Amino acid sequence: MSQPTFTFDDLKRILLEGSGAPEGGGLDGAAQDVLDTEFSDIGYDSLALLETASRIEREYGIDLDESVIGDATTPRAFIDAVGDHLVAPAA
């Protein structure tokens, strides 16, 4: 059975479903243009990231540490953190 993955497109979809597109920003550009941009600079606040984390937990059946939301300030960091949780062996 293959491991689930979490991509930029997954993050974009879940952010849009939970928080919508912020006015004047968002993840509309190509991945390489926004992967290392702070969420606050593209219009997403901590509440949007909390909702996103909650949706990811339900959809992927994982538990994200609270530190993921605080430490993952860019899409790349958030994707990497979720990916780390997906490949971590079950305790």
Side-chain angles (χ1 to χ4, degrees):
M1 187 170 171
S2 66
Q3 287 284 72
T5 60
F6 189 76
T7 66
F8 175 75
D9 288 334
D10 296 322
L11 176 61
K12 184 176 177 178
R13 174 183 53 81
I14 292 170
L15 266 169
L16 289 172
E17 287 173 358
S19 303
E23 195 170 309
L27 300 173
D28 292 334
Q32 68 269 15
D33 295 336
V34 295
L35 276 173
D36 296 313
T37 304
E38 298 283 324
F39 280 113
S40 59
D41 291 340
I42 52 177
Y44 291 105
D45 61 13
S46 59
L47 187 58
L49 297 178
L50 284 170
E51 174 63 22
T52 298
S54 177
R55 286 172 177 264
I56 290 168
E57 288 177 331
R58 286 191 308 269
E59 185 172 324
Y60 287 85
I62 59 174
D63 290 318
L64 296 173
D65 302 332
E66 287 184 21
S67 64
V68 169
I69 293 117
D71 295 343
T73 60
T74 66
R76 183 185 309 275
F78 203 95
I79 292 164
D80 289 346
V82 172
D84 289 346
H85 281 76
L86 289 174
V87 298

